[in-house]
Amino acid sequence: MASQGRVKVGVLGATGTVGQRFITQLSDHPEFELVALGASASSAGNSYKDAVAGRWKQMQPIPQNVRDMPVQACEPEHFKECSVVFSGLDSGPAGAIEEAFRAAELRVFSNAKNYRQDPLCPLVVPLVNPDHFSILSHQRSQMQPPLRKGFIVTNANCATTGIVVAFKALEQAFGPLETIMVSTMQAISGAGYPGVSSLDILNNVVPYISGEEEKVEWETAKILGGLKENNTAFDLHENSPLTISAHCNRVPVIDGHSASISLRFAKRPAPSPEQVKKVFEEYTCEAQELGCPSAPKQAITVHDEPDRPQPRLDCDWQNGAGMNVGRIRKCPVLDIKFTSLVNNVMLGAATSSVMNAEIALRKGLLS
Amino acid sequence: MASQGRVKVGVLGATGTVGQRFITQLSDHPEFELVALGASASSAGNSYKDAVAGRWKQMQPIPQNVRDMPVQACEPEHFKECSVVFSGLDSGPAGAIEEAFRAAELRVFSNAKNYRQDPLCPLVVPLVNPDHFSILSHQRSQMQPPLRKGFIVTNANCATTGIVVAFKALEQAFGPLETIMVSTMQAISGAGYPGVSSLDILNNVVPYISGEEEKVEWETAKILGGLKENNTAFDLHENSPLTISAHCNRVPVIDGHSASISLRFAKRPAPSPEQVKKVFEEYTCEAQELGCPSAPKQAITVHDEPDRPQPRLDCDWQNGAGMNVGRIRKCPVLDIKFTSLVNNVMLGAATSSVMNAEIALRKGLLS
Amino acid sequence: MASQGRVKVGVLGATGTVGQRFITQLSDHPEFELVALGASASSAGNSYKDAVAGRWKQMQPIPQNVRDMPVQACEPEHFKECSVVFSGLDSGPAGAIEEAFRAAELRVFSNAKNYRQDPLCPLVVPLVNPDHFSILSHQRSQMQPPLRKGFIVTNANCATTGIVVAFKALEQAFGPLETIMVSTMQAISGAGYPGVSSLDILNNVVPYISGEEEKVEWETAKILGGLKENNTAFDLHENSPLTISAHCNRVPVIDGHSASISLRFAKRPAPSPEQVKKVFEEYTCEAQELGCPSAPKQAITVHDEPDRPQPRLDCDWQNGAGMNVGRIRKCPVLDIKFTSLVNNVMLGAATSSVMNAEIALRKGLLS
Amino acid sequence: MASQGRVKVGVLGATGTVGQRFITQLSDHPEFELVALGASASSAGNSYKDAVAGRWKQMQPIPQNVRDMPVQACEPEHFKECSVVFSGLDSGPAGAIEEAFRAAELRVFSNAKNYRQDPLCPLVVPLVNPDHFSILSHQRSQMQPPLRKGFIVTNANCATTGIVVAFKALEQAFGPLETIMVSTMQAISGAGYPGVSSLDILNNVVPYISGEEEKVEWETAKILGGLKENNTAFDLHENSPLTISAHCNRVPVIDGHSASISLRFAKRPAPSPEQVKKVFEEYTCEAQELGCPSAPKQAITVHDEPDRPQPRLDCDWQNGAGMNVGRIRKCPVLDIKFTSLVNNVMLGAATSSVMNAEIALRKGLLS
């Protein structure tokens, strides 16, 4: 793999917050070589450091090898050198641009929401359902004209990503889930930059994030479900209906989405908290088995201290690539309850796309 | 009422955070006259301003008429002038001290947790169950020797108080609740002073508050339940079992406990969100009907904006004496879900005790 | 005064954060009657509650008597009923609009920065220099055509307001100041809404506020200086040059600008900290002497505790209408140092304009 | 160096916040081998993970090779294997314990304040004055009995460390400083754990840190001064008196002390901001020249963006081992002003002690 050098990649929406994360992760990636940057027309023509001036909000400086790279308009002709593009575009422009890149035979790994509900696009959390890549040959075949290489893969909403890894581990071990109640406490970085006004969130909780509850409820079913009809459609968990109720709240935390989760299994009797803990600790996923460089060593870290995981202390564990749980106990209403934490800007966003591409590389989808 | 002057009252634990709130509310109360202050032995003998030096954390200065009042040890002999004491004591000393004051024929309105589970002590949220005062004559009769005037009334944990008003309104209109799921986001002031270390909560969520979930689950049943056996015992909602599951989280908010709540009614079909909203808006309680000066005009305020109530903006509404709800909608798992907010230091603590005493005054229990 | 009823007033920029403060203060003002609201063309035609929907960020609801008032475009023809308008406009539109209102013979009390450096416009901190109103007849005379009633008065930048009251007290007692070093720690509300992104300020300090240091340095000299040339010009403290150096920082505080101040007097020997303290405590101003309803009882509150004033605890003291100082001590480099605090949204913004109008009313400038 | 293995070291106060930082840095240090841990008597006898349970507040788990190490009482007999101990002790016990370890011929590198003003103990900021180690042979000679190996070296207060690097660079290039005004905005982690109550600092500024201003003013002179009398005494900058005035404030920031600094040079004319910038950028120190593994690549990083450095974004740059400055400009009152930032828990605490020991190793002081 990569014997003749790294796969050339580009980043769309390079000046935004997700784009900055892509750049940080790709500037010295062992398998991907960052060669092209795309942003809005107003940025095009500038060097990256000028285009992003005043908006670079990462804790390390702009990587040396990216500072002077030119920023281009998000048009496929400027990305001819690339096999892959990572999209950190806002949902406004993302739809048309990503479609154009796919039509130009590029593989698009997108963090935007536009194609998450598309019946041909896999919605892949890399620690959960990379088997959904199997629909890609069908996706290509349905384009006009049919494509040979181009496709769109999306990752999930950051709040969904933060909880669905645990659900997958449980379904794999104990059979289908029947009911899930989740109440989230989401970080401000989930809203991008400038995103949430400080006057709205300092010393405050906002009990509403537009569209978020619907995303969590819908995406979870698509991700946990399988493929059907000879890998041409998603079954949306339809064989074992799953009812989910989400309460989504914004809290004054910079990075890290926490959630309070209660759930009920279809099968009786339900597993004990100890059995659930063991399953979480032993859960491994394809990204790990394939040796993806961005995969965490431990997919789900179970914290033993009664007051963990906490966003400030646990969010950067394993470079934010795994999921964290704690306080696994019986739920008086459903079967089991626990608390969860995900790094919303890493596994919840850029790391998911990058790990998806690493998996795709190993599955031969990038050649 | 109060024709011959105000009822003389004292405050136990006067230098602590709850004690400071009592002082703020009682220093110019129309019906109560603050005449005695109790604190630990180390403070006794000082003026209040000296005893509380470096620990006064209210947004207004120490009331002029309290600054130079002497602080005494928490012994009944120093409170002979009082008919009523309000206890903001920590749970360590509260048990023995409150018992001694009751034995000395004082009426004790306590914010401490010690007697909340006592089978003779009413656990009263003033907007919900002042009818539980009816057990007080039995409480007095069971003391050795029987008492003529003394009793202990407790108010509820701040997180319980913050949600149970809504449950009462719903049960009154639609019959018993069957199942409640609640995930709280609680303010730091709920832990007292110095309480939560800033290193633990700044830019963080702590998914655990010791003992809190058990309190919410147990206290709710006592408060919503009735009296039985001729007003000599609490029925703990036993005729219609109520299952409650609580997740309690600490968030970086100064004042105001928020909660995400889902619930299911026993009766089918369940009411609609519109019916629930109407019931909340129309809910009135005995404290209002009796004209208590600390009662809110609106017991439950329903916020129409999709992102309200919020602690910073809504916590001080009605001087923190009412409950706030918003986002009433169908729950895919149970029947109805909504968000709630209570001012944990006002209705959730001092205001409850003061309003309980105002109700007791009107019921003739202080004469 | 006001024998025939209150003075009719309007608010320009009524939906913005300063406008909301004006509305809160004017909705039940004893001397002013709020009768007209102006906002951008996109809001005009709506009721106030609809125009401000989603942007009302005050801790009390929209006043009942304002909810249904119509919002108009900021054109004088819609404010014919008014004698006075308060301007909370952004600096973009403020220049032209305020000029138009003045030309239409309205008295404009503005929080915008546009006319602060105007050689005809008084820059008035009501606790400091209402004597600068004496230039207003000259201001009117210089208009084309000359005006009979209309004028523009501005208040100062919130950071300037927060410190200049102390300087005035000192100069009045001890003669001219020679040197001032000030390092501010300013609240996010000073930047309006949405203003500062939460990603920029949560768990952070931003050591820069565009243009702020220049404003503090320039405005202080204009405010502390007198009038010259028969009340037709400002002397800008030119007779006794005052050198000011400001460092302006943004901190994660909602309301309340703090500052660390060191200063040197022209006269030797310099006063002692005790003398300075006495002067602060005894300082009174014309707004108090005239009995303005918005004036604080104590113009400068000196806090004795070593760790006060603090924004969270002291900002709302006296409804935010006074200045707070503490820690008065010798400065090893200059003469005296101390810490200061002002409520930037009250005295630092809306309260200044309202109090200026109250003073103007008493000086006969509104009739 | 270290050819025969690493130097064996211990940590005193191992369960505290500074002790935890020492452990994190020493658990895989190339030159030091962590072999002994000391804490209070109540912790002694436990494994480290048990002793620190509930108090480990680092963003990475307890290092694997430290989890099961035994914790001992802070008595020299338990540290016989060590050549060096790092002290993160509180000032209460630090005085006697550190003296006992020195008497037992251990080299003590202390973060405690006890010996900072000792006329025999060097107060060393590793990027500034490791030449002060020259007093150590005199220190040993003054003990009773004289010592062959043991000594005490302290590092400076975190606020002092954060500013003195810049002063050293300036004095080295432009001659003595005459006057310094500094206003700090200090992080909560500077106060240890539990340290600052969240009720005191959330949404607040506290304009006072007990003893801090005196430390900054005194320590700066000792550090910037030289040795005299044949390396047996500190000259405390006495040949060129330096006047310093500090205002120390606490702000709601987790890590990173910011400061607003103005200063005046003795020599006229003063250098320009451009000259100052160049000097900062080119400043190198002995720790770098000696190749210390903890030394930063860039001793002073000058940020070009007008709103940097910021604690959240810049604090971890170079693993917190360097100093950051920005906004270098003329000061209207003194000569030059700028803003500074230091990571108070890294260079401001543990990293200083570790780097001091690395320097001492290279100077032959550990053999």
Side-chain angles (χ1 to χ4, degrees):
Chain A
M1 182 185 61
S3 61
Q4 293 165 279
R6 297 179 292 165
V7 176
K8 289 185 166 58
V9 305
V11 169
L12 304 177
T15 56
T17 43
V18 175
Q20 292 175 28
R21 293 278 174 174
F22 277 133
I23 285 171
T24 304
Q25 293 191 42
L26 294 169
S27 67
D28 64 347
H29 193 279
E31 300 169 355
F32 301 129
E33 181 185 1
L34 181 58
V35 299
L37 302 174
S40 65
S42 62
S43 295
N46 291 305
S47 68
Y48 184 69
K49 71 172 188 295
D50 290 340
V52 83
R55 286 185 286 167
W56 180 262
K57 300 289 172 183
Q58 307 305 308
M59 293 175 67
Q60 57 274 74
I62 302 171
Q64 279 300 331
N65 56 345
V66 177
R67 287 176 60 83
D68 296 316
M69 281 180 63
V71 173
Q72 323 248 27
C74 289
E75 296 159 0
E77 61 183 294
H78 304 303
F79 291 76
K80 284 184 178 157
E81 204 184 351
C82 300
S83 302
V84 167
V85 290
F86 295 95
S87 167
L89 290 165
D90 289 335
S91 57
I97 292 174
E98 294 179 2
E99 186 167 23
F101 274 75
R102 173 172 64 183
E105 295 286 10
L106 279 104
R107 292 81 166 195
V108 180
F109 291 88
S110 174
N111 188 62
K113 70 179 179 188
N114 306 58
Y115 292 97
R116 287 184 192 152
Q117 299 201 17
D118 187 295
L120 295 174
C121 284
L123 173 62
V124 179
V125 174
L127 307 187
V128 176
N129 64 326
D131 56 300
H132 283 199
F133 283 143
S134 302
I135 203 172
L136 289 176
S137 59
H138 180 65
Q139 181 188 135
R140 286 165 171 161
S141 74
Q142 297 300 299
M143 299 298 111
Q144 296 300 340
L147 299 174
R148 287 171 301 109
K149 301 194 284 186
F151 60 70
I152 295 174
V153 167
T154 72
N155 48 270
N157 175 273
C158 50
T160 308
T161 303
I163 57 179
V164 77
V165 186
F167 302 153
K168 172 69 174 187
L170 294 176
E171 291 211 327
Q172 191 174 282
F174 304 117
L177 292 167
E178 184 185 281
T179 305
I180 298 170
M181 294 279 314
V182 56
S183 178
T184 69
M185 293 166 283
Q186 300 185 219
I188 55 171
S189 56
Y193 182 83
V196 182
S197 165
S198 56
L199 275 174
D200 279 332
I201 200 63
L202 203 66
N203 184 25
N204 207 10
V205 167
V206 179
Y208 179 65
I209 302 174
S210 178
E212 197 80 353
E213 297 173 355
E214 294 78 3
K215 286 183 204 167
V216 168
E217 293 169 9
W218 194 91
E219 293 182 5
T220 298
K222 180 169 179 179
I223 294 165
L224 290 181
L227 294 167
K228 65 180 182 181
E229 295 164 17
N230 205 17
N231 291 339
T232 62
F234 299 101
D235 75 14
L236 304 177
H237 215 273
E238 69 193 357
N239 297 318
S240 176
L242 173 57
T243 309
I244 307 174
S245 177
H247 297 257
C248 290
N249 301 284
R250 186 80 68 193
V251 293
V253 163
I254 297 170
D255 290 327
H257 288 355
S258 301
S260 297
I261 298 171
S262 288
L263 48 77
R264 179 179 162 90
F265 296 88
K267 203 171 86 180
R268 317 310 302 168
S272 69
E274 294 70 31
Q275 290 172 307
V276 165
K277 184 185 179 201
K278 190 160 181 290
V279 160
F280 282 157
E281 289 178 330
E282 295 179 352
Y283 179 69
T284 58
C285 62
E286 203 174 355
Q288 297 171 294
E289 290 148 16
L290 292 172
C292 294
S294 298
K297 285 200 178 153
Q298 183 78 23
I300 302 175
T301 300
V302 179
H303 295 258
D304 288 327
E305 302 87 343
D307 60 351
R308 301 285 279 267
Q310 296 175 12
R312 187 168 83 79
L313 295 177
D314 301 313
C315 198
D316 288 336
W317 170 236
Q318 300 191 116
N319 205 23
M323 188 194 174
N324 296 273
V325 303
R327 303 198 69 216
I328 306 166
R329 58 208 194 282
K330 284 199 177 182
C331 177
V333 170
L334 303 178
D335 290 336
I336 292 286
K337 58 180 172 179
F338 56 95
T339 187
S340 72
L341 173 72
V342 70
N343 186 319
N344 59 297
V345 294
M346 300 301 282
L347 183 62
T351 301
S352 263
S353 281
V354 172
M355 211 188 309
N356 279 342
E358 292 168 358
I359 295 170
L361 175 65
R362 282 159 177 75
K363 286 177 180 274
L365 288 161
L366 305 189
S367 53
Chain B
M1 182 186 61
S3 60
Q4 293 163 279
R6 297 179 292 166
V7 176
K8 290 187 165 57
V9 304
V11 170
L12 305 177
T15 57
T17 43
V18 175
Q20 291 175 28
R21 293 279 174 174
F22 277 133
I23 286 171
T24 304
Q25 294 191 39
L26 294 170
S27 67
D28 64 347
H29 194 279
E31 300 168 356
F32 301 129
E33 181 184 1
L34 181 59
V35 299
L37 302 175
S40 65
S42 62
S43 294
N46 291 305
S47 68
Y48 185 69
K49 72 172 188 295
D50 290 339
V52 82
R55 286 184 285 166
W56 181 262
K57 300 290 173 183
Q58 307 306 308
M59 292 175 67
Q60 58 274 76
I62 302 172
Q64 279 300 331
N65 57 344
V66 178
R67 287 175 60 84
D68 296 316
M69 279 179 65
V71 174
Q72 324 248 26
C74 289
E75 296 158 1
E77 62 183 292
H78 303 303
F79 291 76
K80 284 184 177 158
E81 204 185 351
C82 300
S83 303
V84 168
V85 289
F86 294 95
S87 168
L89 290 165
D90 289 335
S91 57
I97 292 175
E98 294 179 1
E99 187 168 22
F101 275 75
R102 174 172 62 182
E105 296 285 12
L106 280 103
R107 291 82 167 193
V108 180
F109 291 88
S110 174
N111 188 63
K113 69 179 179 188
N114 304 59
Y115 293 96
R116 288 184 193 153
Q117 298 201 16
D118 187 294
L120 294 174
C121 285
L123 174 61
V124 179
V125 174
L127 307 187
V128 176
N129 63 326
D131 56 302
H132 283 200
F133 283 142
S134 301
I135 204 172
L136 290 176
S137 59
H138 180 65
Q139 182 189 134
R140 288 166 171 160
S141 74
Q142 297 300 301
M143 299 297 110
Q144 294 300 339
L147 298 174
R148 289 173 300 113
K149 300 194 286 186
F151 59 71
I152 296 176
V153 166
T154 71
N155 48 269
N157 175 273
C158 49
T160 309
T161 303
I163 56 179
V164 77
V165 186
F167 302 154
K168 172 68 174 187
L170 294 176
E171 291 211 326
Q172 190 173 285
F174 305 117
L177 293 167
E178 183 185 282
T179 306
I180 299 170
M181 295 279 314
V182 56
S183 180
T184 69
M185 294 166 283
Q186 300 184 220
I188 56 172
S189 55
Y193 182 82
V196 182
S197 165
S198 56
L199 276 172
D200 280 332
I201 200 64
L202 204 63
N203 185 24
N204 207 11
V205 168
V206 178
Y208 179 64
I209 302 174
S210 179
E212 196 82 351
E213 296 173 355
E214 295 78 3
K215 285 184 207 167
V216 168
E217 293 168 10
W218 194 91
E219 292 182 5
T220 299
K222 180 168 177 180
I223 295 165
L224 290 181
L227 294 168
K228 64 180 182 181
E229 295 164 16
N230 203 17
N231 291 340
T232 63
F234 300 100
D235 75 14
L236 305 177
H237 215 273
E238 70 192 357
N239 297 319
S240 176
L242 173 58
T243 310
I244 307 175
S245 179
H247 298 257
C248 290
N249 301 284
R250 185 80 68 194
V251 294
V253 163
I254 296 170
D255 290 327
H257 288 355
S258 301
S260 298
I261 298 170
S262 288
L263 47 78
R264 180 178 161 90
F265 296 87
K267 201 171 86 179
R268 317 311 302 167
S272 68
E274 293 69 32
Q275 289 172 307
V276 166
K277 183 185 178 199
K278 189 158 181 292
V279 159
F280 282 156
E281 289 177 329
E282 296 179 352
Y283 179 70
T284 59
C285 61
E286 202 175 354
Q288 298 171 293
E289 290 148 16
L290 292 171
C292 294
S294 298
K297 285 201 178 153
Q298 182 79 21
I300 302 175
T301 300
V302 179
H303 295 257
D304 287 326
E305 303 86 341
D307 60 351
R308 302 284 281 268
Q310 297 176 12
R312 188 168 83 77
L313 295 178
D314 300 313
C315 198
D316 288 336
W317 170 233
Q318 300 191 117
N319 204 23
M323 188 195 175
N324 296 274
V325 304
R327 302 199 68 214
I328 306 166
R329 57 209 195 280
K330 285 198 177 183
C331 177
V333 169
L334 302 177
D335 291 334
I336 292 285
K337 58 181 171 178
F338 57 94
T339 187
S340 73
L341 171 73
V342 70
N343 186 320
N344 58 298
V345 294
M346 300 301 283
L347 183 62
T351 301
S352 264
S353 281
V354 173
M355 211 188 311
N356 279 342
E358 293 167 358
I359 296 170
L361 175 65
R362 283 160 176 74
K363 285 177 180 275
L365 289 160
L366 305 189
S367 51
Chain C
M1 181 185 64
S3 60
Q4 295 163 278
R6 297 179 292 166
V7 176
K8 290 187 164 58
V9 303
V11 170
L12 304 177
T15 57
T17 44
V18 176
Q20 292 175 28
R21 294 277 174 174
F22 277 132
I23 285 171
T24 304
Q25 294 190 40
L26 295 169
S27 67
D28 64 346
H29 194 281
E31 299 168 356
F32 301 130
E33 181 184 0
L34 181 58
V35 298
L37 302 175
S40 66
S42 62
S43 293
N46 291 305
S47 68
Y48 185 70
K49 71 172 188 295
D50 290 338
V52 83
R55 286 184 287 164
W56 180 262
K57 301 290 173 183
Q58 306 307 309
M59 293 174 67
Q60 57 274 75
I62 302 171
Q64 279 300 331
N65 57 344
V66 177
R67 287 176 61 82
D68 296 316
M69 281 179 64
V71 174
Q72 324 247 26
C74 289
E75 296 158 1
E77 62 184 291
H78 304 303
F79 291 75
K80 284 183 177 159
E81 203 184 353
C82 301
S83 302
V84 168
V85 290
F86 295 95
S87 168
L89 291 165
D90 289 335
S91 57
I97 291 175
E98 295 179 1
E99 187 167 21
F101 274 74
R102 174 172 62 182
E105 295 285 12
L106 280 103
R107 292 83 166 193
V108 179
F109 291 88
S110 174
N111 189 63
K113 69 180 180 189
N114 305 58
Y115 292 96
R116 289 184 192 153
Q117 299 201 16
D118 187 294
L120 294 174
C121 285
L123 174 60
V124 178
V125 174
L127 307 187
V128 176
N129 63 326
D131 56 301
H132 284 198
F133 283 143
S134 302
I135 203 172
L136 289 176
S137 60
H138 181 64
Q139 182 189 134
R140 286 166 171 161
S141 74
Q142 297 301 300
M143 298 298 110
Q144 296 300 340
L147 298 174
R148 288 172 300 111
K149 300 194 284 185
F151 59 71
I152 295 175
V153 166
T154 72
N155 49 270
N157 175 272
C158 49
T160 309
T161 303
I163 57 180
V164 78
V165 186
F167 302 153
K168 172 68 174 188
L170 295 176
E171 292 211 326
Q172 190 174 285
F174 305 116
L177 293 167
E178 183 186 282
T179 306
I180 298 170
M181 294 278 314
V182 56
S183 180
T184 69
M185 294 166 283
Q186 299 184 219
I188 55 172
S189 56
Y193 183 83
V196 181
S197 165
S198 56
L199 276 172
D200 279 333
I201 200 63
L202 203 64
N203 185 25
N204 207 12
V205 168
V206 178
Y208 179 65
I209 301 174
S210 179
E212 197 81 352
E213 296 173 355
E214 294 79 2
K215 285 183 205 168
V216 168
E217 294 168 10
W218 194 91
E219 293 182 6
T220 298
K222 180 168 178 181
I223 295 164
L224 290 181
L227 292 168
K228 65 181 182 181
E229 296 163 17
N230 203 18
N231 291 338
T232 63
F234 300 99
D235 75 14
L236 304 177
H237 215 272
E238 71 193 355
N239 298 319
S240 176
L242 173 58
T243 310
I244 307 174
S245 177
H247 297 257
C248 290
N249 301 285
R250 185 80 67 192
V251 293
V253 163
I254 297 170
D255 290 326
H257 288 355
S258 301
S260 297
I261 298 170
S262 288
L263 48 78
R264 181 179 160 90
F265 296 87
K267 201 171 86 180
R268 316 313 300 169
S272 69
E274 293 69 33
Q275 290 172 307
V276 165
K277 183 185 178 199
K278 190 158 181 292
V279 159
F280 283 156
E281 289 177 331
E282 295 178 352
Y283 179 70
T284 58
C285 61
E286 201 175 356
Q288 299 171 292
E289 289 148 16
L290 292 172
C292 295
S294 298
K297 285 200 178 153
Q298 183 78 22
I300 302 176
T301 299
V302 179
H303 295 257
D304 288 326
E305 303 88 340
D307 60 352
R308 302 284 280 268
Q310 297 176 12
R312 187 168 82 78
L313 296 177
D314 300 314
C315 198
D316 288 337
W317 170 234
Q318 299 191 117
N319 205 23
M323 188 194 174
N324 296 274
V325 303
R327 302 198 68 215
I328 306 166
R329 57 209 195 281
K330 284 198 177 184
C331 177
V333 170
L334 303 176
D335 291 334
I336 292 286
K337 58 181 171 179
F338 57 95
T339 187
S340 72
L341 172 73
V342 71
N343 186 320
N344 59 296
V345 294
M346 301 301 284
L347 184 62
T351 300
S352 264
S353 280
V354 173
M355 211 187 312
N356 279 343
E358 292 167 357
I359 295 171
L361 174 65
R362 283 160 176 73
K363 286 176 180 277
L365 289 160
L366 305 189
S367 51
Chain D
M1 183 187 58
S3 61
Q4 294 164 277
R6 297 178 292 166
V7 175
K8 289 186 165 59
V9 304
V11 170
L12 304 177
T15 56
T17 44
V18 176
Q20 292 175 28
R21 293 279 173 174
F22 277 133
I23 284 172
T24 304
Q25 294 190 41
L26 294 169
S27 67
D28 65 346
H29 193 279
E31 299 168 356
F32 300 130
E33 181 184 359
L34 181 58
V35 299
L37 302 175
S40 65
S42 62
S43 293
N46 291 304
S47 68
Y48 185 70
K49 72 173 188 294
D50 291 339
V52 83
R55 286 185 286 166
W56 181 263
K57 300 288 173 184
Q58 308 305 309
M59 292 175 67
Q60 58 274 75
I62 302 171
Q64 278 300 330
N65 57 345
V66 177
R67 287 176 59 82
D68 297 316
M69 281 180 65
V71 173
Q72 324 248 26
C74 289
E75 296 158 2
E77 61 183 293
H78 304 303
F79 291 76
K80 285 184 178 157
E81 204 185 351
C82 300
S83 302
V84 167
V85 290
F86 295 95
S87 168
L89 291 165
D90 288 335
S91 57
I97 291 175
E98 294 178 2
E99 186 168 23
F101 274 75
R102 174 172 63 181
E105 295 285 12
L106 279 103
R107 293 80 166 195
V108 180
F109 291 88
S110 174
N111 188 63
K113 69 179 179 188
N114 305 59
Y115 293 97
R116 287 185 192 152
Q117 299 202 16
D118 187 293
L120 294 174
C121 285
L123 174 61
V124 180
V125 174
L127 307 186
V128 175
N129 64 326
D131 57 301
H132 284 200
F133 284 142
S134 302
I135 203 172
L136 290 176
S137 59
H138 180 65
Q139 181 188 135
R140 286 165 171 162
S141 74
Q142 297 301 298
M143 299 298 112
Q144 295 300 340
L147 299 173
R148 290 172 299 110
K149 301 194 285 187
F151 59 71
I152 296 175
V153 167
T154 72
N155 48 269
N157 174 273
C158 49
T160 309
T161 303
I163 57 179
V164 78
V165 186
F167 303 153
K168 172 69 174 186
L170 295 176
E171 290 210 328
Q172 190 173 282
F174 305 116
L177 293 167
E178 184 185 280
T179 305
I180 298 171
M181 294 280 313
V182 56
S183 180
T184 69
M185 293 165 284
Q186 300 185 218
I188 55 172
S189 56
Y193 183 83
V196 182
S197 165
S198 55
L199 276 174
D200 279 332
I201 201 63
L202 203 65
N203 185 24
N204 207 11
V205 167
V206 179
Y208 178 65
I209 302 174
S210 178
E212 197 82 350
E213 296 173 355
E214 296 78 3
K215 287 183 204 167
V216 167
E217 293 169 10
W218 194 91
E219 294 182 5
T220 298
K222 180 169 178 180
I223 294 164
L224 290 181
L227 294 167
K228 65 180 182 181
E229 295 164 17
N230 205 16
N231 291 339
T232 62
F234 300 101
D235 75 14
L236 305 177
H237 215 272
E238 70 192 357
N239 297 318
S240 176
L242 173 57
T243 309
I244 307 175
S245 178
H247 297 257
C248 291
N249 301 285
R250 186 79 70 193
V251 293
V253 163
I254 296 169
D255 290 327
H257 288 354
S258 301
S260 298
I261 298 170
S262 287
L263 47 77
R264 180 180 160 90
F265 297 88
K267 203 172 86 179
R268 318 308 304 166
S272 69
E274 293 69 33
Q275 289 171 308
V276 166
K277 183 186 179 199
K278 189 159 181 291
V279 160
F280 283 157
E281 289 178 329
E282 294 178 355
Y283 178 70
T284 59
C285 62
E286 203 175 356
Q288 298 171 294
E289 289 149 16
L290 292 170
C292 294
S294 298
K297 286 199 177 153
Q298 182 79 22
I300 302 175
T301 300
V302 179
H303 295 258
D304 287 326
E305 302 87 342
D307 60 352
R308 302 284 279 267
Q310 296 175 12
R312 187 168 84 77
L313 295 177
D314 300 313
C315 197
D316 288 336
W317 170 235
Q318 301 191 115
N319 204 23
M323 189 195 173
N324 296 274
V325 303
R327 302 200 67 214
I328 306 166
R329 58 209 194 281
K330 284 199 177 182
C331 178
V333 169
L334 303 177
D335 291 335
I336 292 286
K337 58 181 172 179
F338 56 95
T339 187
S340 72
L341 172 73
V342 70
N343 186 319
N344 59 297
V345 294
M346 301 301 282
L347 183 62
T351 300
S352 264
S353 280
V354 172
M355 211 189 307
N356 279 343
E358 293 168 358
I359 295 170
L361 175 65
R362 282 159 176 76
K363 286 176 179 275
L365 288 161
L366 305 188
S367 52

